[in-house]
Amino acid sequence: MTFPFSALVFDLDGTLIDSAPDMTRVLNRMLGEFGRPAVTEAQVRGMVGDGSANLVRQAFAATGAPLEGEALQPALSRYLDLYFEDDQPSTLYPGVAETLAHLADRGVHLGLCTNKPERISRKLLGLLGLAPLFGAVAGGDTLPVKKPDGRHLSWVLERLGEDPASPRAAMVGDNGNDVKAARAAGIPVVAMSYGYPRMPVADLGADLVLDHFADLPAALESVASRR
């Protein structure tokens, strides 16, 4: 049976990987170098989703006087370098590797649309053995725009050879930026309940909310049948 979607675009943090422990570790190394106290993983989970600059900005605001504009750049650059140098791979959520491989085997083109910087995203995909599955990757610094701007998502679809207006494309994410980007691009969106939504996941406005990544193929077939 032909799968109803020919292209799927995924968020990374909170959707495919639980990266909050890694970001906490790297942030705290950077904060220590700048004379700031550490942040907790719980704090970081509430900061994820809007890109690295906003993450670093929030970390400084949470640990003393905030940094803005040019004053933020040295800390941001150091955080990105430390993160890229970090060789401890993030933890895949259960069922992610097997489900992505299953979708690829069914002929689905897979893309990644994340607000994490591209070089770090690509390195993580490589460390986790997922890189060969993805035909297009867009980080938060790949384009002049990023999620929730729908052009970020549309760019990935175009690189996958998919018309952004195609009824056979969908987004899979975990927070409001993913839902807004999908709506702006005009495609359906599935939200995973276990990520970093920063609001009740039921209120995100996704077409469907899932608790388990392994349920995604069947859920997408259900979404397609209702269209």
Side-chain angles (χ1 to χ4, degrees), residues 137-168:
V137 174
D141 55 355
T142 303
L143 304 173
V145 297
K146 63 186 178 186
K147 295 180 299 182
D149 194 305
R151 290 172 292 176
H152 194 194
L153 174 54
S154 295
W155 185 91
V156 177
L157 290 171
E158 289 169 357
R159 293 306 179 279
L160 293 174
E162 194 74 33
D163 182 345
S166 168
R168 298 195 62 208

Short mmCIF file of all heavy atoms in Angstrom, two decimals, residues 137-168:
data_model
loop_
_atom_site.label_atom_id
_atom_site.label_comp_id
_atom_site.label_asym_id
_atom_site.label_seq_id
_atom_site.Cartn_x
_atom_site.Cartn_y
_atom_site.Cartn_z
N VAL A 137 18.45 19.21 5.14
CA VAL A 137 18.59 19.68 6.53
C VAL A 137 18.67 21.20 6.52
O VAL A 137 19.48 21.79 5.80
CB VAL A 137 19.86 19.11 7.20
CG1 VAL A 137 20.07 19.73 8.58
CG2 VAL A 137 19.78 17.59 7.29
N ALA A 138 17.83 21.84 7.31
CA ALA A 138 17.89 23.29 7.48
C ALA A 138 17.97 23.60 8.96
O ALA A 138 17.07 23.22 9.74
CB ALA A 138 16.67 23.97 6.87
N GLY A 139 19.06 24.27 9.36
CA GLY A 139 19.20 24.71 10.73
C GLY A 139 18.68 26.12 10.90
O GLY A 139 18.23 26.77 9.95
N GLY A 140 18.78 26.62 12.11
CA GLY A 140 18.30 27.96 12.38
C GLY A 140 19.12 29.05 11.73
O GLY A 140 18.67 30.20 11.64
N ASP A 141 20.32 28.70 11.27
CA ASP A 141 21.18 29.67 10.61
C ASP A 141 21.37 29.38 9.12
O ASP A 141 22.18 30.02 8.46
CB ASP A 141 22.56 29.71 11.30
CG ASP A 141 23.21 28.33 11.37
OD1 ASP A 141 22.57 27.33 10.98
OD2 ASP A 141 24.36 28.25 11.82
N THR A 142 20.62 28.44 8.58
CA THR A 142 20.75 28.08 7.16
C THR A 142 20.20 29.17 6.26
O THR A 142 20.76 29.46 5.19
CB THR A 142 20.03 26.75 6.87
OG1 THR A 142 20.55 25.74 7.73
CG2 THR A 142 20.20 26.32 5.42
N LEU A 143 19.10 29.79 6.68
CA LEU A 143 18.41 30.81 5.90
C LEU A 143 18.31 32.11 6.70
O LEU A 143 18.55 32.11 7.92
CB LEU A 143 16.99 30.32 5.55
CG LEU A 143 16.86 28.98 4.82
CD1 LEU A 143 15.39 28.61 4.73
CD2 LEU A 143 17.49 29.06 3.46
N PRO A 144 17.91 33.18 6.07
CA PRO A 144 17.68 34.42 6.82
C PRO A 144 16.47 34.32 7.75
O PRO A 144 16.27 35.17 8.62
CB PRO A 144 17.43 35.47 5.73
CG PRO A 144 18.01 34.90 4.49
CD PRO A 144 17.83 33.42 4.61
N VAL A 145 15.62 33.29 7.57
CA VAL A 145 14.44 33.08 8.40
C VAL A 145 14.54 31.73 9.08
O VAL A 145 15.30 30.85 8.67
CB VAL A 145 13.15 33.15 7.57
CG1 VAL A 145 12.97 34.53 6.96
CG2 VAL A 145 13.13 32.07 6.48
N LYS A 146 13.76 31.55 10.12
CA LYS A 146 13.68 30.26 10.81
C LYS A 146 12.27 30.09 11.36
O LYS A 146 11.46 31.05 11.34
CB LYS A 146 14.72 30.17 11.93
CG LYS A 146 14.54 31.19 13.04
CD LYS A 146 15.70 31.11 14.03
CE LYS A 146 15.54 32.18 15.12
NZ LYS A 146 16.71 32.23 16.01
N LYS A 147 11.94 28.90 11.81
CA LYS A 147 10.62 28.68 12.40
C LYS A 147 10.37 29.70 13.51
O LYS A 147 11.28 30.00 14.27
CB LYS A 147 10.52 27.26 12.97
CG LYS A 147 10.60 26.16 11.95
CD LYS A 147 10.50 24.76 12.62
CE LYS A 147 11.60 24.50 13.61
NZ LYS A 147 11.54 23.15 14.20
N PRO A 148 9.17 30.26 13.58
CA PRO A 148 7.90 29.81 12.98
C PRO A 148 7.63 30.29 11.56
O PRO A 148 6.52 30.10 11.07
CB PRO A 148 6.86 30.37 13.94
CG PRO A 148 7.48 31.64 14.43
CD PRO A 148 8.94 31.33 14.57
N ASP A 149 8.60 30.91 10.91
CA ASP A 149 8.41 31.35 9.54
C ASP A 149 8.25 30.12 8.62
O ASP A 149 9.11 29.24 8.60
CB ASP A 149 9.62 32.17 9.09
CG ASP A 149 9.36 32.95 7.81
OD1 ASP A 149 8.98 32.32 6.80
OD2 ASP A 149 9.57 34.17 7.80
N GLY A 150 7.17 30.08 7.88
CA GLY A 150 6.89 28.93 7.02
C GLY A 150 7.89 28.73 5.90
O GLY A 150 8.02 27.63 5.37
N ARG A 151 8.63 29.79 5.55
CA ARG A 151 9.62 29.66 4.48
C ARG A 151 10.77 28.74 4.88
O ARG A 151 11.42 28.14 4.00
CB ARG A 151 10.14 31.05 4.09
CG ARG A 151 9.11 31.91 3.38
CD ARG A 151 9.61 33.32 3.20
NE ARG A 151 9.71 34.02 4.49
CZ ARG A 151 10.19 35.25 4.62
NH1 ARG A 151 10.61 35.92 3.55
NH2 ARG A 151 10.24 35.83 5.81
N HIS A 152 11.03 28.64 6.15
CA HIS A 152 12.06 27.71 6.63
C HIS A 152 11.68 26.27 6.28
O HIS A 152 12.47 25.50 5.74
CB HIS A 152 12.20 27.88 8.15
CG HIS A 152 13.41 27.27 8.75
ND1 HIS A 152 13.55 27.07 10.11
CD2 HIS A 152 14.57 26.79 8.20
CE1 HIS A 152 14.72 26.53 10.36
NE2 HIS A 152 15.35 26.33 9.23
N LEU A 153 10.45 25.93 6.56
CA LEU A 153 9.92 24.60 6.27
C LEU A 153 9.77 24.38 4.77
O LEU A 153 10.12 23.31 4.24
CB LEU A 153 8.58 24.44 6.98
CG LEU A 153 7.75 23.19 6.72
CD1 LEU A 153 8.56 21.92 6.97
CD2 LEU A 153 6.51 23.21 7.61
N SER A 154 9.27 25.38 4.05
CA SER A 154 9.08 25.24 2.60
C SER A 154 10.41 24.99 1.89
O SER A 154 10.47 24.24 0.91
CB SER A 154 8.41 26.50 2.03
OG SER A 154 7.10 26.64 2.53
N TRP A 155 11.47 25.63 2.37
CA TRP A 155 12.80 25.43 1.77
C TRP A 155 13.22 23.97 1.86
O TRP A 155 13.77 23.41 0.91
CB TRP A 155 13.81 26.32 2.49
CG TRP A 155 15.20 26.33 1.92
CD1 TRP A 155 15.68 27.17 0.96
CD2 TRP A 155 16.28 25.45 2.27
NE1 TRP A 155 17.00 26.89 0.70
CE2 TRP A 155 17.39 25.83 1.49
CE3 TRP A 155 16.42 24.40 3.17
CZ2 TRP A 155 18.63 25.19 1.58
CZ3 TRP A 155 17.65 23.76 3.27
CH2 TRP A 155 18.73 24.16 2.48
N VAL A 156 12.96 23.34 3.00
CA VAL A 156 13.29 21.92 3.16
C VAL A 156 12.49 21.07 2.18
O VAL A 156 13.03 20.16 1.53
CB VAL A 156 13.05 21.46 4.61
CG1 VAL A 156 13.34 19.96 4.76
CG2 VAL A 156 13.91 22.25 5.58
N LEU A 157 11.21 21.35 2.08
CA LEU A 157 10.37 20.59 1.15
C LEU A 157 10.87 20.72 -0.28
O LEU A 157 10.91 19.74 -1.03
CB LEU A 157 8.93 21.06 1.26
CG LEU A 157 8.20 20.70 2.56
CD1 LEU A 157 6.86 21.41 2.64
CD2 LEU A 157 8.02 19.19 2.68
N GLU A 158 11.26 21.91 -0.66
CA GLU A 158 11.77 22.11 -2.02
C GLU A 158 13.04 21.31 -2.25
O GLU A 158 13.23 20.73 -3.33
CB GLU A 158 12.04 23.60 -2.25
CG GLU A 158 10.76 24.43 -2.35
CD GLU A 158 11.03 25.91 -2.30
OE1 GLU A 158 12.21 26.30 -2.14
OE2 GLU A 158 10.06 26.69 -2.42
N ARG A 159 13.91 21.24 -1.24
CA ARG A 159 15.15 20.46 -1.37
C ARG A 159 14.87 18.97 -1.44
O ARG A 159 15.67 18.21 -1.96
CB ARG A 159 16.10 20.77 -0.21
CG ARG A 159 16.65 22.18 -0.19
CD ARG A 159 17.31 22.53 -1.52
NE ARG A 159 17.84 23.89 -1.56
CZ ARG A 159 17.13 24.98 -1.79
NH1 ARG A 159 15.82 24.90 -1.96
NH2 ARG A 159 17.72 26.16 -1.86
N LEU A 160 13.72 18.57 -0.93
CA LEU A 160 13.32 17.16 -1.02
C LEU A 160 12.62 16.86 -2.35
O LEU A 160 12.22 15.73 -2.59
CB LEU A 160 12.38 16.80 0.14
CG LEU A 160 12.98 16.81 1.54
CD1 LEU A 160 11.90 16.57 2.58
CD2 LEU A 160 14.08 15.75 1.67
N GLY A 161 12.47 17.89 -3.18
CA GLY A 161 11.80 17.71 -4.46
C GLY A 161 10.29 17.74 -4.35
O GLY A 161 9.59 17.27 -5.25
N GLU A 162 9.80 18.34 -3.25
CA GLU A 162 8.37 18.37 -3.00
C GLU A 162 7.84 19.78 -3.18
O GLU A 162 8.44 20.75 -2.71
CB GLU A 162 8.08 17.90 -1.57
CG GLU A 162 6.63 17.56 -1.31
CD GLU A 162 6.21 16.25 -1.93
OE1 GLU A 162 7.03 15.33 -2.02
OE2 GLU A 162 5.03 16.15 -2.31
N ASP A 163 6.72 19.93 -3.84
CA ASP A 163 6.04 21.21 -3.92
C ASP A 163 5.57 21.58 -2.52
O ASP A 163 4.85 20.80 -1.88
CB ASP A 163 4.84 21.09 -4.87
CG ASP A 163 4.09 22.41 -5.04
OD1 ASP A 163 4.29 23.33 -4.23
OD2 ASP A 163 3.31 22.50 -6.00
N PRO A 164 5.97 22.74 -1.99
CA PRO A 164 5.54 23.11 -0.64
C PRO A 164 4.02 23.12 -0.46
O PRO A 164 3.53 22.99 0.67
CB PRO A 164 6.12 24.52 -0.46
CG PRO A 164 7.30 24.55 -1.36
CD PRO A 164 6.90 23.72 -2.56
N ALA A 165 3.29 23.26 -1.54
CA ALA A 165 1.83 23.26 -1.46
C ALA A 165 1.25 21.86 -1.65
O ALA A 165 0.04 21.69 -1.71
CB ALA A 165 1.24 24.20 -2.50
N SER A 166 2.11 20.86 -1.73
CA SER A 166 1.65 19.50 -1.99
C SER A 166 0.80 18.96 -0.84
O SER A 166 1.13 19.16 0.33
CB SER A 166 2.85 18.57 -2.19
OG SER A 166 2.44 17.21 -2.18
N PRO A 167 -0.28 18.27 -1.16
CA PRO A 167 -1.08 17.64 -0.11
C PRO A 167 -0.41 16.39 0.46
O PRO A 167 -0.96 15.76 1.35
CB PRO A 167 -2.38 17.29 -0.83
CG PRO A 167 -1.98 17.08 -2.25
CD PRO A 167 -0.87 18.07 -2.50
N ARG A 168 0.76 16.04 -0.06
CA ARG A 168 1.43 14.82 0.40
C ARG A 168 2.67 15.12 1.23
O ARG A 168 3.60 14.34 1.30
CB ARG A 168 1.80 13.93 -0.78
CG ARG A 168 0.59 13.46 -1.59
CD ARG A 168 0.97 12.32 -2.51
NE ARG A 168 1.42 11.16 -1.74
CZ ARG A 168 2.28 10.25 -2.20
NH1 ARG A 168 2.81 10.39 -3.42
NH2 ARG A 168 2.63 9.22 -1.47
#
